[in-house]
Amino acid sequence: MSLTALRRAAATVAAVATAAGLTAVPALQAHATDRAITSLSIRAVHQAIRPGAGDTITGDLRIAGPATPAGRTVTLEARPMGADGFTPIGTATAGDKGGLHESVTPDVTTRYRWHYDGDTDARPSTSGVATVRVRTPQHHANRIATSLSIRAARHVVRLDGADVVMGELRAGRVPLRHRSVLLVSRPVGSDQGWTFEAAHLSGRHGKVAFRVEPATDTAYQLVFLGTGLLRPSHSAIVRILTRPDVSITADPTLIDRGDTTTISG
């Protein structure tokens, strides 16, 4: 079919659609507003390290189309040997060409992956998995079970207020000090993954405390990634609710019987 014939056929289809009260413009607009496809790669600089050594996890964030990956935040998630799933342990900002890197010091063999939550112009994506093996032949085959408690100081705060999330890391009745404990969060009622907030070392009695300033109702959880001797564990979940301040005033505040005043708040 010639180009002229194709144009005539297209014009006929458009005329029929218009006569039926239909138009292709919304479909074209919807297609134009689709978020760009993204992809993530991942690599560990060293695939095997000795106990106590560090490694670097690198990667690349790619975005189809004209959008740039520069300045976008990507989360690094880890799954140590014996853990049930991946936990966010830090974030990295993509470079001018989408490059990512984050330093890690795993105590045990650990799997890592990058996760991008997406944005208004780009879809979310998750990388493959990179494994860093820790050569620990001296570690016990059966690691010691651990437990993590959690509580919030107030549970309800103002919209611009703060609260404190506290916890205690133990192995049986023995408090575990100088161990890294992570705080992760997600909005209450959301089914999205956990977001890394901060990491603190437990004190002499195994206790940790994190100051938080939730912008909305937020769920928090504490995570211990484990070591060659200690099993990983995570706490229960606490929820901190945000409530706006409510004020009330009267103008005037002093009136005669039968007069009126204005109450506002």
Side-chain angles (χ1 to χ4, degrees):
M1 182 180 292
S2 67
L3 181 59
T4 301
L6 286 173
R7 287 174 177 169
R8 289 175 179 172
T12 301
V13 172
V16 172
T18 302
L22 302 175
T23 177
V25 173
L28 293 174
Q29 291 176 341
H31 179 73
T33 57
D34 280 349
R35 294 187 292 173
I37 296 174
T38 65
S39 63
L40 277 167
S41 63
I42 188 170
R43 184 176 72 89
V45 173
H46 305 289
Q47 282 72 44
I49 60 175
R50 67 180 184 276
D55 200 353
T56 301
I57 306 300
T58 64
D60 283 287
L61 173 64
R62 303 290 183 181
I63 301 179
T68 174
R72 299 177 189 258
T73 300
V74 182
T75 300
L76 180 63
E77 301 176 334
R79 183 177 181 178
M81 179 180 62
D84 294 333
F86 283 90
T87 298
I89 62 169
T91 58
T93 302
D96 292 340
K97 297 183 179 180
L100 303 163
H101 63 88
E102 183 77 4
S103 298
V104 296
T105 309
D107 290 299
V108 296
T109 296
T110 303
R111 303 169 69 190
Y112 296 95
R113 72 182 184 188
W114 293 108
H115 177 74
Y116 174 54
D117 283 336
D119 208 333
T120 55
D121 62 343
R123 300 179 187 178
S125 59
T126 302
S127 72
V129 174
T131 302
V132 177
R133 303 187 183 280
V134 180
R135 305 300 188 190
T136 54
Q138 75 278 17
H139 286 164
H140 297 273
N142 296 318
R143 292 186 288 170
I144 300 172
T146 63
S147 63
L148 255 176
S149 62
I150 188 173
R151 68 185 182 90
R154 300 177 61 186
H155 288 284
V156 178
V157 298
R158 302 191 308 268
L159 287 177
D160 59 348
D163 201 350
V164 178
V165 175
M166 297 164 283
E168 186 174 356
L169 177 63
R170 288 179 171 271
R173 296 184 178 181
V174 179
L176 299 174
R177 63 179 183 174
H178 302 319
R179 306 290 180 178
S180 180
V181 177
L182 309 178
L183 176 68
V184 295
S185 70
R186 67 183 178 192
V188 169
S190 171
D191 57 357
Q192 70 184 45
W194 293 96
T195 299
F196 172 79
E197 291 285 342
H200 289 339
L201 290 178
S202 57
R204 59 181 298 183
H205 299 297
K207 296 181 179 181
V208 290
F210 298 84
R211 176 185 169 87
V212 297
E213 298 178 358
T216 184
D217 295 353
T218 305
Y220 293 94
Q221 187 178 56
L222 297 176
V223 180
F224 173 57
L225 295 180
T227 67
L229 180 62
L230 302 168
R231 295 181 191 174
S233 61
H234 58 80
S235 71
I237 297 172
V238 296
R239 295 169 177 82
I240 297 178
L241 307 181
T242 54
R243 294 290 182 266
D245 285 333
V246 179
S247 62
I248 185 169
T249 59
D251 184 25
T253 57
L254 182 62
I255 60 175
D256 293 330
R257 184 186 300 273
D259 288 347
T260 61
T261 186
T262 300
I263 305 296
S264 59

